[in-house]
Amino acid sequence: MTIMSSPTPIWFITGASSGLGRALAEAVLTRGWRVAMTARRPETLTDITAEHGDRALALALDVTDSRSVARAVHDAETHFGAIDVLVNNAGYGYLSAIEEGDDAEIRAQFETNVFGLIAVTKRVLPGMRRRRQGHIFNVSSLGGLVAFAATGYYHATKFAVEALSESLSHEVKPLGIDMTILEPGAFRTDWAGRSMVESSTIIEDYAETSGKRRQATRSISGNQPGDPTRAATAIISAFEADAPPLRLLLGAPALKIARERLDALRANFDAWAETTLSADFPT
Ligand code: NAP
């Protein structure tokens, strides 16, 4: 944990209306810390603010609206004096084979999952840099490391989050700011339910690939193995660690599939190593 200015660190969480964001806000408050919970519909947070008074601030924030981003960060910094921990959690999935994707829906997916995350981060960084302390958690996904059929555009956004976060970690570490990329597997939230967007175009040729995975993704909703409350505890332990990890996988399926991904990458690179090395000028 970076040495914070206060024993009750101040968190700023996007997408706190449900799922992982809400569970994390509750875990932060349970520890006696403070949190600016942000949501497109801040009224979804009134039960939490009623219980925790001044330590819990509910703010309206749509990450795709730059004025709303500026206002929410300003209001949180004014209320609490600083933001110690930023959690870029807001995001949603899009079920569509690549060819089936609707251009506006594809762009909207990037607007929230990538450009929204960038907008919030750029607003919060000046304060963290000034104080030479902070911790940023970007919610990526196991799907930021591995890509499956039917969620290609979602994966593209999360792979982008991985790259942005890794670069950012190099830039801000010397300024006293930690960076952790969160990579959940399947968690029991609204992600595969009410939050999911699906392309209206369905191409029969993809029934066995994308089509099957669309159905599987929908059908797991409500029965995912991942528990948002336990994920929140895991995230807080990464925050409190002396040396926080750059990446934190969440849940057993994430660990298993990420390890398989590593093995497959190595096997691919090793099998083609001779050809790879043949591409340089002879020494
Ligand atoms: P969730 O319950 O659907 O929560 C998503 C949150 O993001 C909601 O609060 C939603 O707000 C918010 N959001 C969506 N678009 C937004 C926007 N433009 N501006 C501000 N907030 C916005 O799902 P979740 O699983 O907790 O998702 C949290 C993060 O975890 C996402 O980034 C997701 O991709 C990632 N993730 C989830 C899983 C999983 O299996 N659950 C796995 C890997 C990664 P509204 O209530 O207004 O819709």
Side-chain angles (χ1 to χ4, degrees):
M1 174 164 59
T2 339
I3 315 251
M4 296 293 165
S5 47
S6 144
T8 59
I10 300 146
W11 292 56
F12 183 102
I13 303 174
T14 67
S17 67
S18 66
L20 293 168
R22 187 180 175 93
L24 184 55
E26 286 173 332
V28 163
L29 289 164
T30 299
R31 279 156 185 78
W33 299 343
R34 296 170 284 175
V35 62
M37 303 173 292
T38 72
R40 288 189 288 197
R41 295 164 296 130
E43 64 275 16
T44 57
L45 301 165
T46 44
D47 56 325
I48 304 183
T49 45
E51 196 182 332
H52 296 280
D54 244 19
R55 291 192 296 115
L57 180 66
L59 296 171
L61 171 57
D62 180 335
V63 298
T64 65
D65 173 349
S66 60
R67 268 185 302 189
S68 149
V69 172
R71 199 178 320 118
V73 172
H74 172 268
D75 289 354
E77 289 181 333
T78 304
H79 181 86
F80 289 124
I83 294 170
D84 295 315
V85 189
L86 165 63
V87 185
N88 281 307
N89 164 74
Y92 68 93
Y94 180 44
L95 287 174
S96 164
I98 299 301
E99 191 182 341
E100 294 166 343
D102 172 86
D103 287 352
E105 289 172 351
I106 296 164
R107 285 177 190 279
Q109 172 79 145
F110 276 83
E111 284 297 337
T112 296
N113 292 9
V114 181
F115 298 117
L117 173 146
I118 295 170
V120 176
T121 305
K122 287 179 71 179
R123 280 283 169 186
V124 172
L125 274 173
M128 289 185 171
R129 277 193 294 105
R130 244 190 333 271
R131 292 187 304 282
R132 289 293 194 265
Q133 65 178 41
H135 195 149
I136 300 173
F137 288 91
N138 283 345
V139 182
S140 170
S141 170
L142 167 66
L145 300 171
V146 189
F148 303 103
T151 34
Y153 294 111
Y154 177 70
H155 293 305
T157 66
K158 294 300 189 181
F159 273 57
V161 168
E162 294 274 336
L164 285 162
S165 308
E166 201 172 310
S167 289
L168 184 62
S169 75
H170 293 302
E171 295 162 1
V172 299
K173 188 84 192 162
L175 306 178
I177 301 165
D178 289 316
M179 172 79 240
T180 299
I181 308 167
L182 299 171
E183 292 152 342
F187 273 74
R188 211 170 294 176
T189 67
D190 291 346
W191 186 85
R194 65 146 186 121
S195 300
M196 184 62 78
V197 178
E198 283 196 56
S199 74
S200 53
T201 301
I202 306 243
I203 300 173
E204 199 44 41
D205 278 346
Y206 298 116
E208 284 302 305
T209 52
S210 178
K212 281 212 164 132
R213 191 146 181 283
R214 273 196 199 222
Q215 276 168 10
T217 305
R218 281 295 200 189
S219 66
I220 199 181
S221 188
N223 292 304
Q224 297 96 329
D227 174 357
T229 302
R230 288 184 166 83
T233 304
I235 293 164
I236 286 175
S237 60
F239 167 69
E240 291 181 314
D242 289 335
L246 175 59
R247 290 188 164 78
L248 181 64
L249 291 158
L250 293 168
L255 185 60
K256 178 176 180 289
I257 295 168
R259 282 176 166 157
E260 288 167 1
R261 170 66 163 182
L262 274 182
D263 293 344
L265 272 179
R266 178 169 289 283
N268 182 154
F269 295 153
D270 287 351
W272 286 83
E274 213 172 303
T275 311
T276 298
L277 294 171
S278 73
D280 289 338
F281 288 111
T283 46

